[in-house]
Amino acid sequence: GEPAVTDTTPSTMRAAVYRRPGVVEIVDHEVPGIGPDDVLVEVEYCGICGTDLHLVLDGWGVPDRVGGHEWSGRVVAAGDVAGIDVGTLVAGSADATCGACDPCRAGRPSLCTNRAAAGDDGFQGAFAGFVAARAATVAPVPAGVDARSAAYAEPLSVAMHAITLAAPPPDARVMVFGAGPVGAAIVAVLRGRGVDDIVVVEPGSTRRRLAEQLGAATATPDELDRPGHPQHLVDRPAHVVFEASGARSAAEVGLQQLARGGTLMLVGTGVDHPRLDTNRVLLNELHVTGAFNYDADGFPASLDLLASGRLPLEHLVEPEAVPLDGLLDAMHGLRSGDTAGKVLVRPSEESR
């Protein structure tokens, strides 16, 4: 792309660059250029996602890349056909869909046949002062939503997509495994839609407390029944289980909590794959499926929900943003479960 440097845009920026497993370096990095349908955005906030933990802490990442795909900021330069004015507050996504393949045209962009593998799309992310993005992948932020809230639009869209696919009715009994950022968002959205019977299974006390603040009942994994026979059910089986932790044991035990005809919705990524009891799936006609990315209208819908004021962001987002050089510590806090809410990085903030 053409350099996006205007009179007021610096040529370099601070950025958190992934080097190797567990190592991120804060460096001076060239401000990215933009093409005719791109925008250059000065980053206000960028959230840390569970995938970022895999990329950095588990070594899934590509060395010398800048991560971060849950962001908000103001447009400082726009390509000729971008169609977004300089100065607009926008929320960004990890959308790398083509818009032209059969799934995209059918309203299922998360199944785009032309998307790159997760983490390998070449996108230079927003753990940096500036980010360049295709204008089609950013959404103007509605009035009444500030930049901090707007950075929550991406994980909120992920949660809403999982709920769309699982489609629990308001009287459903729902279990959510893991009260990290996506699990907590699922609980908050379901509660806002009138689903009252929600149990969150979470080993960490900090995250259990968050789930209770959001209006869910809680349990630890060792409090759950594990029927021995594949046709036996627990006393109060769930219609839908959302597995948002990525933990092997959670998917395995989650399957055992389902009612006949129930759905196990996989939302959390993990490195240790579960072994699912296929006899239980067969005998009880269970649905096991996954949710990736967003509904076709995911971003406008999540921004509208944020604008409605019905979402308890004071519980869902950590009150203090961290500077770039606090990124790695924040990742370790999320991995350990000591941190419950969404952590936002503020690249403009000086280190403490």
Side-chain angles (χ1 to χ4, degrees), residues 151-177:
Y152 193 68
E154 200 277 348
L156 184 58
S157 297
V158 170
M160 291 168 75
H161 180 53
I163 293 167
T164 296
L165 293 180
D171 60 350
R173 178 169 170 78
V174 174
M175 295 184 85
V176 179
F177 280 72

Side-chain angles (χ1 to χ4, degrees), residues 69 92-95 109-110 154 157-158 161 292-296 298-299:
H69 58 264
S93 71
D95 181 13
S110 59
E154 200 277 348
S157 297
V158 170
H161 180 53
F292 175 73
N293 275 7
Y294 331 116
D295 295 342
F299 258 67

Side-chain angles (χ1 to χ4, degrees), residues 45-72:
Y45 293 93
C46 184
I48 302 173
C49 162
T51 308
D52 294 320
L53 304 189
H54 292 313
L55 293 171
V56 172
L57 302 181
D58 300 324
W60 290 14
V62 177
D64 308 323
R65 285 261 174 89
V66 179
H69 58 264
E70 307 177 351
W71 51 271
S72 66

Side-chain angles (χ1 to χ4, degrees), residues 122-140:
F123 178 68
Q124 290 281 15
F127 293 139
F130 296 86
V131 64
R134 282 191 300 134
T137 68
V138 306

Side-chain angles (χ1 to χ4, degrees), residues 193-267:
R193 293 184 183 181
V195 179
D196 295 325
D197 191 356
I198 305 173
V199 177
V200 171
V201 182
E202 167 59 59
S205 58
T206 305
R207 290 181 171 174
R208 277 201 308 278
R209 195 157 55 246
L210 170 61
E212 288 159 7
Q213 288 172 326
L214 296 172
T218 59
T220 60
D222 56 15
E223 291 177 288
L224 299 178
D225 289 336
R226 292 166 165 80
H229 190 285
Q231 208 163 344
H232 291 172
L233 304 182
V234 296
D235 285 342
R236 295 191 64 219
H239 301 96
V240 178
V241 168
F242 291 94
E243 203 305 280
S245 72
R248 170 180 178 159
S249 59
E252 293 171 351
V253 177
L255 194 76
Q256 296 177 299
Q257 310 307 307
L258 284 169
R260 297 207 167 107
T263 297
L264 173 62
M265 176 58 69
L266 302 170
V267 198

Side-chain angles (χ1 to χ4, degrees), residues 15-19 23-27 29 63-67 127:
V17 179
Y18 170 73
R19 297 300 193 202
V23 178
V24 168
E25 197 177 351
I26 314 302
V27 300
H29 195 285
D64 308 323
R65 285 261 174 89
V66 179
F127 293 139

